[in-house]
Amino acid sequence: MRVSETLIPTLREDPGEAETVSHRYMLRAGMIRKVAAGIYTYLPLGLRVLRKIEKIVREEMNRAGAQEVLMPVASPAELWRETGRWDFYGKELLRFKDRHERDFCLGPTHEEVITDLFRREVRSYRQMPLNFYQIQTKFRDEIRPRFGLMRGREFIMKDAYSFDRDEAGARLSYQKMYDAYNRIFARCGLTFRPVEADTGLIGGTSSHEFMVLAETGEETIVYSEEGTYAANVERAEVLPPDASELPAPRPLTAVSTPGRRTVEEVTKFLKIAPTQLVKTLLYTTGKDTVAVLVRGDHDVNEIKVKHLLGATDVELVVPERVPELTGAPVGYAGPVGLKNIRVLADWAVKAMANFVVGANKADTHFVDANWARDFTVDHFADLRNAQAGDPSPRQDGTLKTAKGIEVGHVFMLGTKYSQAMKATFLDAQGQEQLAVMGCYGIGVSRVAAASVEQNHDAKGIKWPIPIAPFHVTLLPLSQSEPVTQLASSLYRSMQESGIEVLWDDRDERAGVKFNDADLIGAPFHLVIGEKGLAQGQVELKVRQTGDTKKIAPDQALPTLTTLIQAAS
Amino acid sequence: MRVSETLIPTLREDPGEAETVSHRYMLRAGMIRKVAAGIYTYLPLGLRVLRKIEKIVREEMNRAGAQEVLMPVASPAELWRETGRWDFYGKELLRFKDRHERDFCLGPTHEEVITDLFRREVRSYRQMPLNFYQIQTKFRDEIRPRFGLMRGREFIMKDAYSFDRDEAGARLSYQKMYDAYNRIFARCGLTFRPVEADTGLIGGTSSHEFMVLAETGEETIVYSEEGTYAANVERAEVLPPDASELPAPRPLTAVSTPGRRTVEEVTKFLKIAPTQLVKTLLYTTGKDTVAVLVRGDHDVNEIKVKHLLGATDVELVVPERVPELTGAPVGYAGPVGLKNIRVLADWAVKAMANFVVGANKADTHFVDANWARDFTVDHFADLRNAQAGDPSPRQDGTLKTAKGIEVGHVFMLGTKYSQAMKATFLDAQGQEQLAVMGCYGIGVSRVAAASVEQNHDAKGIKWPIPIAPFHVTLLPLSQSEPVTQLASSLYRSMQESGIEVLWDDRDERAGVKFNDADLIGAPFHLVIGEKGLAQGQVELKVRQTGDTKKIAPDQALPTLTTLIQAAS
């Protein structure tokens, strides 16, 4: 493709709207443009990246025996009512009425539609197992869409749904997808890690997320470097500590802590370590309020609290309500003397004695508090986030943490949807059975963004070869006859050899061309300068490493062919 | 692909919901399934057809120099308000609000979004001409979605938009698309005809539709067999007849026509030809009511009436209002003595004298009516549909009619959108100019349906080779070792040669397999029977012609390769 014939509106300045690297660079490289909050047009270069990812996804899904279908963007409410998700899904589900006042939503996921297809069309165990996938535009009405393609409202997703005869079959289907996902992200040239994950709004019995590792990632994962354990911190289990032998309790004492509210302020003031303090956080499920106790250096894991309470949602109590619940201003809540509120505590608290807690009184804390003696814990449980240094719950080493971007998610659904929608088949004995399901998503557009988060430098993007919009940017630095002639002949021969080449045929200064080439980030840049050419040389630059090499013009094609083939 | 591993839920019976051949057969062949009115899931075979059409479209659009982009399904109201189409578009535009109460629509077409992109990103004539296309899901909230993919609400469309410096450039871009469309539909293996067309809701100065010819088509086209003229009947001009010498008027006489209302009833009763009667039809624009006069054997062309009145919509007056407007029951309206209603008449009426009209009185007509003498015609114009036998408006022969299905539409938009949205560029003199636009659509999913309407028989579909879901259905008629072995080896060798083959590996009766193969409609069927094989023969059937031929098994691959290559 010639730059002069392609819309690649590169920007020199960082656009104000962009908060993350991928958002910034994809805008600056002229790959995407915003149409509305979280809604983008893909320009030619951006679309080329998407199509490459789609192709890899499609090949691996087909290889794993999944069948491609295409379900509609508009999804009728009736199906969503059957599973209860019409009410349950919340405002992310964009609902609308058609001209006949019938309710629809823009599909954020397609369990209902595919399960409806299954129950209508599949009768017998002989037709199973089945796995259907699609690559389709999805819509989630995020409250705060941001980060460009990373958290858009309209996005492109590959979703797949498997239907098996039994649990064992479903596990096999799940494993096939797990393996396919590993191949897909590896083929995309990404550094990633599958981790155990929470099942969220989709539900089901277990799940793994595929995380592209990047410092800018929104998700935190924990993993054992020595072992195999890896999980999203939302999900990661924490083993209970040994609480068998506790020091003898000292008497409970109130101390004045004027204006000290945070863990940092209180521990500094009292000259103790955060491990000697217990934080008290008040949560509401909408109906119910609970106090959650964790050690001062730990963070509450709200998903664990939610699961323990069997609630669909938990939120911190708004600050305005704290005085009425505790009798004290924010910052002084504690379990001692707390009325009509259930107290939940993380396991770590069980191993503590003589700790500091808020006294439910302004500017006051208790020291030498002890559970059981000073207050009742209704329930000890794993309620905190795992953190670096914790032992792995698989007992295979010590945990480390990393940041990641979720690009894929596989779920064992069990019979959640087949039960709600009566999706049955007849087994070998002629008995009606519920299909055992799995579902499997890849955020195709998010993979593109995650790749940029992982592969970039101060000048721009460094696309991995398999998903780069072009393999090579061809950069003739003058409009002179020999330079143009060589550029033109290399362009043709590269195209004929299946090398995807972007020819910067503009009459622009060398600096402009170099900057755009670095920004756009094709893996290889072939520079034709007048001086070099006079000496029988062109320059090959590898974007990933920045290495450059002078080569003879007739070596360009074989050299590039070798480099590109090595990556596929 | 193996039938046993693919969801192809064929149906023996015609589904009740299907009104047209393509709808019926695509349901019966297990290619699509309804999710809601006008909204379908594409099953594996249906999706394969779509993807083949998309591939041809993409190749030809790229060849014509268009750039692929992808615009969002959700379109913000602001842009539609700028062109006035937010209000103008009517209920086909599906509107919704997001969680922040901002207005959006599901894009039925993308002029606004692409023109917005142009005005933001393109500055100079040096960057032009430009042509952007996308293949994307579109939504039109049809009042009566029907005929399966033919008139769905959610459908897949290729839309393209060109931006030129001037009219001459725009005409060139239009011609390129016109040529590309001819190549696309020819490559799809369809019999089609480009025709002049009305511009409808898109607007602009001129347009052509691409019509797939099929008896079941909803559209009527007229064309000159001797010449080149061809047009949608909505649009086809009718030349004014010679009205220079009219017979002498006879006195106007009222006659009793008890209970005779229709042209047929009145002409039969009065023993006259329909060419001796003038029909009077009352139309309303919402604000205004007019009477339209056409000869008894002619049909009013409502689009011509609409254009003449400069109205956005015209409709026949509801029967209940006729008595109040004419003083008579329905069936007796006429121009004589009609009060406060403008009278428009088709040119053909100008060439008539002593004709029959309704008398605006129950059970009464006038005979020997004459315009000018008995009533005033406010405007003579071309207001009727062209019909077979009319002279071609290009004076290149006599018109014939045919039925067609619109699968593509190219529009010269001029500056309609660039003006409304201030989409300008700087010309060579540094002057700001409006971009001159064209837009170009292909109903990708409708092409699939139109192909079925054109290519089928009583047993099922006959896909043209280039868009068939598979080239070959492989039909082993028994599960015996030699038959299975040959099927398996042919399956492998066909796949290796790039022949797309559907292997009916089910343990089913021959009749079931034959029926499904005919229904699904792959162009070639390769039948392996036990008896034939014992004699060293397999049977090759050509679905289009029904011809069968016995060949040696080792001739199957070269024969099929030749047949398939001949079509591409």
Side-chain angles (χ1 to χ4, degrees):
Chain A
M1 234 177 218
R2 289 162 183 252
V3 171
S4 66
E5 294 173 355
T6 314
L7 185 70
I8 311 175
T10 54
L11 305 172
R12 280 184 213 185
E13 306 294 330
D14 279 343
E17 64 184 283
E19 298 168 68
T20 57
V21 175
S22 60
H23 190 191
R24 194 157 67 233
Y25 279 149
M26 293 189 82
L27 284 171
R28 283 193 51 201
M31 297 194 168
I32 57 170
R33 282 297 180 265
K34 184 170 120 173
V35 175
I39 299 178
Y40 291 85
T41 288
Y42 299 90
L43 302 189
L45 291 197
L47 186 59
R48 288 181 69 95
V49 174
L50 278 195
R51 294 285 187 240
K52 293 214 174 172
I53 299 166
E54 286 178 11
K55 184 164 183 282
I56 292 170
V57 169
R58 189 169 277 126
E59 286 170 4
E60 293 299 335
M61 292 306 290
N62 291 346
R63 175 152 43 142
Q67 305 180 41
E68 190 172 2
V69 299
L70 188 64
M71 291 178 269
V73 171
S75 226
E78 299 90 86
L79 297 177
W80 289 75
R81 291 205 174 99
E82 285 190 53
T83 61
R85 288 209 294 182
W86 185 257
D87 299 316
F88 187 68
Y89 211 101
K91 286 199 163 183
E92 260 186 40
L93 188 69
L94 198 144
R95 293 145 224 253
F96 62 90
K97 286 179 189 292
D98 73 3
R99 68 191 293 165
H100 300 299
E101 297 293 312
R102 286 191 210 99
D103 286 317
F104 284 85
C105 65
L106 291 182
T109 174
H110 279 73
E111 284 79 8
E112 282 78 0
V113 177
I114 199 75
T115 306
D116 180 55
L117 181 74
F118 176 90
R119 71 177 167 186
R120 285 168 189 271
E121 306 300 341
V122 179
R123 293 278 158 272
S124 159
Y125 73 100
R126 281 193 208 88
Q127 298 168 272
M128 299 164 72
L130 285 165
N131 189 343
F132 300 107
Y133 77 98
Q134 65 172 348
I135 298 175
Q136 173 67 304
T137 299
K138 296 255 188 296
F139 203 97
R140 288 187 193 163
D141 201 2
E142 294 271 356
I143 189 159
R144 252 175 303 136
R146 54 190 169 153
F147 309 147
L149 301 191
M150 203 77 114
R151 193 186 289 177
R153 293 199 286 175
E154 186 172 323
F155 54 96
I156 294 170
M157 192 168 151
K158 186 286 299 174
D159 44 330
Y161 307 89
S162 63
F163 295 87
D164 273 276
R165 300 168 186 170
D166 50 32
E167 273 288 333
R171 272 196 297 277
L172 199 65
S173 293
Y174 184 89
Q175 188 62 41
K176 273 190 192 172
M177 287 295 103
Y178 183 91
D179 295 342
Y181 276 38
N182 276 300
R183 287 196 301 269
I184 287 168
F185 299 119
R187 282 188 59 191
C188 286
L190 298 169
T191 305
F192 69 97
R193 200 184 264 275
V195 302
E196 296 180 12
D198 187 61
T199 56
L201 275 171
I202 304 289
T205 50
S206 67
S207 80
H208 283 88
E209 286 167 339
F210 286 78
M211 293 287 189
V212 165
L213 302 180
E215 281 168 30
T216 53
E218 278 194 284
E219 309 277 347
T220 303
I221 67 172
V222 296
Y223 62 97
S224 157
E225 213 166 27
E226 303 92 340
T228 59
Y229 183 75
N232 190 316
V233 74
E234 286 182 350
R235 157 82 181 185
E237 300 154 51
V238 178
L239 296 176
D242 180 7
S244 53
E245 278 181 53
L246 291 180
R250 293 190 290 263
L252 184 71
T253 315
V255 297
S256 167
T257 49
R260 273 67 175 189
R261 293 156 192 269
T262 65
V263 172
E264 204 195 336
E265 288 163 358
V266 174
T267 54
K268 217 165 157 184
F269 182 75
L270 297 178
K271 298 193 175 61
I272 55 166
T275 51
Q276 293 173 270
L277 178 143
V278 167
K279 285 191 278 197
T280 304
L281 293 114
L282 300 169
Y283 282 93
T284 172
T285 63
K287 289 184 233 169
D288 210 12
T289 304
V290 296
V292 178
L293 310 187
V294 293
R295 205 170 74 185
D297 60 328
H298 288 160
D299 291 321
V300 173
N301 182 313
E302 295 182 3
I303 290 174
K304 292 178 180 175
V305 175
K306 202 171 78 175
H307 286 319
L308 180 67
L309 296 174
T312 58
D313 220 358
V314 298
E315 278 178 11
L316 271 177
V317 161
V318 290
E320 299 77 55
R321 279 199 61 214
V322 170
E324 111 199 23
L325 292 166
T326 66
V330 172
Y332 300 95
V336 181
L338 205 55
K339 300 240 168 57
N340 305 320
I341 293 180
R342 265 203 301 165
V343 175
L344 312 178
D346 179 63
W347 286 123
V349 175
K350 199 164 189 180
M352 293 171 73
N354 301 320
F355 44 81
V356 171
V357 292
N360 296 325
K361 190 176 158 195
D363 301 333
T364 313
H365 280 77
F366 285 122
V367 298
D368 294 331
N370 286 277
W371 57 270
R373 184 192 70 182
D374 303 322
F375 58 91
T376 305
V377 172
D378 296 275
H379 208 95
F380 281 104
D382 174 9
L383 293 178
R384 70 165 172 105
N385 283 342
Q387 58 191 35
D390 283 341
S392 161
R394 296 281 181 283
Q395 298 179 302
D396 60 354
T398 301
L399 295 185
K400 298 201 146 204
T401 62
K403 288 290 180 181
I405 299 161
E406 182 204 337
V407 288
H409 204 158
V410 292
F411 296 86
M412 281 281 281
L413 292 176
T415 55
K416 172 177 170 172
Y417 293 90
S418 49
Q419 189 147 35
M421 298 183 72
K422 300 188 185 57
T424 60
F425 64 96
L426 295 180
D427 67 14
Q429 285 72 46
Q431 298 296 309
E432 209 161 351
Q433 302 286 355
L434 290 172
V436 185
M437 292 174 58
C439 79
Y440 318 96
I442 290 179
V444 172
S445 38
R446 189 185 271 192
V447 168
S451 169
V452 178
E453 296 289 339
Q454 188 176 74
N455 300 283
H456 66 269
D457 62 14
K459 293 177 171 178
I461 305 172
K462 299 171 171 184
W463 289 108
I465 298 173
I467 64 172
F470 289 92
H471 298 131
V472 179
T473 302
L474 181 62
L475 296 148
L477 298 186
S478 91
Q479 303 285 308
S480 80
E481 177 69 21
V483 168
T484 305
Q485 205 159 26
L486 178 60
S488 162
S489 105
L490 281 173
Y491 180 66
R492 256 199 320 278
S493 59
M494 280 194 254
Q495 286 193 311
E496 280 159 15
S497 315
I499 295 179
E500 298 169 19
V501 52
L502 181 67
W503 177 9
D504 193 344
D505 59 343
R506 295 173 301 171
D507 184 9
E508 286 281 6
R509 285 182 298 110
V512 170
K513 290 190 177 190
F514 286 138
N515 285 344
D516 278 356
D518 280 339
L519 182 57
I520 290 166
F524 305 107
H525 302 172
L526 194 65
V527 183
I528 311 177
E530 219 150 340
K531 277 191 209 158
L533 189 54
Q535 296 160 16
Q537 288 184 328
V538 295
E539 189 177 275
L540 175 65
K541 171 171 159 181
V542 179
R543 178 71 182 95
Q544 190 64 245
T545 59
D547 294 347
T548 61
K549 182 160 87 162
K550 309 262 187 216
I551 54 175
D554 62 0
Q555 283 310 297
L557 189 62
T559 307
L560 284 166
T561 304
T562 308
L563 287 167
I564 292 161
Q565 279 173 353
S568 60
Chain B
M1 234 175 219
R2 291 162 182 250
V3 171
S4 66
E5 293 173 355
T6 316
L7 185 70
I8 312 174
T10 55
L11 306 172
R12 281 182 212 187
E13 306 294 331
D14 279 343
E17 63 183 283
E19 298 168 67
T20 57
V21 175
S22 59
H23 190 191
R24 195 158 64 232
Y25 279 150
M26 292 188 83
L27 284 171
R28 281 193 51 201
M31 297 191 168
I32 57 171
R33 282 296 181 265
K34 184 170 120 172
V35 174
I39 299 177
Y40 292 85
T41 288
Y42 299 90
L43 302 190
L45 291 196
L47 186 59
R48 287 181 70 96
V49 173
L50 279 195
R51 294 285 187 240
K52 293 215 172 170
I53 298 167
E54 286 179 11
K55 183 162 185 282
I56 292 170
V57 168
R58 189 168 277 128
E59 285 171 3
E60 293 300 333
M61 293 305 291
N62 291 346
R63 173 147 52 138
Q67 304 180 41
E68 189 170 3
V69 299
L70 188 65
M71 291 178 268
V73 170
S75 225
E78 301 89 86
L79 297 176
W80 289 76
R81 291 204 174 99
E82 285 190 53
T83 61
R85 289 208 295 183
W86 185 256
D87 298 318
F88 187 69
Y89 211 101
K91 287 200 162 182
E92 261 185 41
L93 188 69
L94 197 145
R95 293 145 223 253
F96 62 90
K97 287 180 190 293
D98 73 2
R99 66 192 293 165
H100 301 298
E101 296 292 311
R102 288 193 208 96
D103 285 315
F104 283 84
C105 64
L106 290 183
T109 173
H110 279 74
E111 283 80 8
E112 282 79 0
V113 177
I114 198 77
T115 306
D116 181 54
L117 181 74
F118 176 90
R119 71 177 167 185
R120 286 169 188 271
E121 306 301 341
V122 180
R123 293 277 161 269
S124 159
Y125 74 99
R126 282 193 207 88
Q127 299 168 270
M128 300 165 70
L130 285 166
N131 190 343
F132 300 107
Y133 78 97
Q134 65 172 348
I135 297 175
Q136 174 66 304
T137 298
K138 297 254 188 296
F139 203 96
R140 289 187 190 160
D141 201 3
E142 294 271 356
I143 188 159
R144 250 174 304 133
R146 52 190 169 152
F147 308 148
L149 301 191
M150 203 77 115
R151 193 185 288 177
R153 294 199 286 175
E154 184 172 326
F155 53 97
I156 294 171
M157 192 166 151
K158 187 285 300 173
D159 45 329
Y161 307 89
S162 64
F163 296 85
D164 272 277
R165 301 167 185 170
D166 51 32
E167 272 289 334
R171 271 195 299 277
L172 199 65
S173 293
Y174 184 88
Q175 187 63 42
K176 272 191 193 170
M177 285 295 104
Y178 183 92
D179 295 344
Y181 275 38
N182 275 299
R183 287 196 300 270
I184 287 167
F185 298 119
R187 283 188 58 191
C188 286
L190 297 169
T191 304
F192 68 98
R193 200 185 262 276
V195 302
E196 296 180 12
D198 187 63
T199 55
L201 275 172
I202 305 289
T205 52
S206 66
S207 79
H208 283 88
E209 286 167 338
F210 286 77
M211 292 286 189
V212 165
L213 303 180
E215 282 168 30
T216 52
E218 276 195 283
E219 307 278 346
T220 303
I221 66 171
V222 296
Y223 63 97
S224 157
E225 213 166 26
E226 304 91 341
T228 58
Y229 183 75
N232 190 317
V233 75
E234 285 182 350
R235 158 81 180 185
E237 302 153 53
V238 179
L239 296 176
D242 181 7
S244 54
E245 278 182 53
L246 291 181
R250 293 190 292 263
L252 184 71
T253 315
V255 296
S256 166
T257 48
R260 272 68 175 189
R261 293 156 191 268
T262 66
V263 172
E264 203 196 337
E265 288 164 358
V266 174
T267 55
K268 215 165 162 187
F269 183 74
L270 297 177
K271 298 192 176 62
I272 57 165
T275 52
Q276 291 173 273
L277 179 142
V278 167
K279 285 191 279 196
T280 303
L281 293 115
L282 300 171
Y283 281 93
T284 173
T285 64
K287 291 185 229 168
D288 210 13
T289 304
V290 296
V292 178
L293 310 186
V294 292
R295 206 169 73 185
D297 60 327
H298 288 159
D299 291 321
V300 174
N301 181 314
E302 294 180 5
I303 289 174
K304 291 177 180 177
V305 175
K306 201 171 79 174
H307 287 318
L308 181 68
L309 296 174
T312 57
D313 221 357
V314 298
E315 277 179 11
L316 272 177
V317 160
V318 290
E320 299 76 55
R321 280 198 59 214
V322 170
E324 108 197 28
L325 292 165
T326 67
V330 171
Y332 300 95
V336 183
L338 206 54
K339 299 240 169 58
N340 305 323
I341 293 183
R342 265 203 303 162
V343 175
L344 312 177
D346 178 63
W347 285 122
V349 174
K350 198 164 190 179
M352 293 171 74
N354 300 318
F355 46 79
V356 172
V357 292
N360 297 325
K361 191 177 157 194
D363 300 333
T364 311
H365 280 75
F366 285 122
V367 299
D368 295 332
N370 284 276
W371 56 271
R373 183 193 71 182
D374 303 322
F375 59 91
T376 305
V377 172
D378 295 275
H379 208 95
F380 280 104
D382 174 9
L383 294 177
R384 70 166 172 100
N385 282 341
Q387 57 191 35
D390 283 341
S392 161
R394 297 283 181 282
Q395 299 180 301
D396 61 352
T398 302
L399 295 184
K400 297 200 147 202
T401 62
K403 289 289 182 182
I405 299 161
E406 183 204 335
V407 288
H409 204 158
V410 293
F411 296 85
M412 281 280 281
L413 292 176
T415 55
K416 172 176 170 171
Y417 293 90
S418 49
Q419 190 146 37
M421 298 182 72
K422 299 190 183 55
T424 61
F425 63 95
L426 296 180
D427 68 13
Q429 285 71 47
Q431 298 296 307
E432 208 161 352
Q433 301 287 354
L434 290 172
V436 186
M437 292 175 58
C439 79
Y440 318 95
I442 290 179
V444 172
S445 38
R446 191 187 270 192
V447 168
S451 168
V452 177
E453 296 290 337
Q454 188 177 74
N455 301 284
H456 66 269
D457 63 13
K459 292 177 173 178
I461 305 173
K462 298 170 171 185
W463 290 107
I465 297 171
I467 63 172
F470 288 93
H471 298 132
V472 179
T473 303
L474 181 63
L475 296 147
L477 299 187
S478 90
Q479 304 283 309
S480 80
E481 176 70 21
V483 167
T484 304
Q485 204 158 26
L486 178 59
S488 163
S489 106
L490 281 172
Y491 179 68
R492 257 200 319 278
S493 57
M494 282 194 253
Q495 286 193 312
E496 281 160 13
S497 314
I499 295 178
E500 298 169 19
V501 52
L502 181 66
W503 177 9
D504 193 344
D505 60 343
R506 297 173 298 173
D507 185 10
E508 285 281 5
R509 284 181 300 110
V512 170
K513 291 190 175 189
F514 285 138
N515 286 342
D516 278 355
D518 280 340
L519 182 58
I520 290 167
F524 306 106
H525 302 172
L526 194 66
V527 182
I528 311 176
E530 217 149 342
K531 276 191 209 156
L533 188 55
Q535 295 159 18
Q537 288 183 329
V538 295
E539 188 178 275
L540 175 65
K541 172 171 157 179
V542 179
R543 177 72 182 95
Q544 189 66 243
T545 59
D547 293 347
T548 60
K549 182 158 88 160
K550 308 261 186 217
I551 55 175
D554 63 1
Q555 283 309 297
L557 190 62
T559 306
L560 285 166
T561 304
T562 308
L563 287 167
I564 291 161
Q565 279 174 354
S568 61

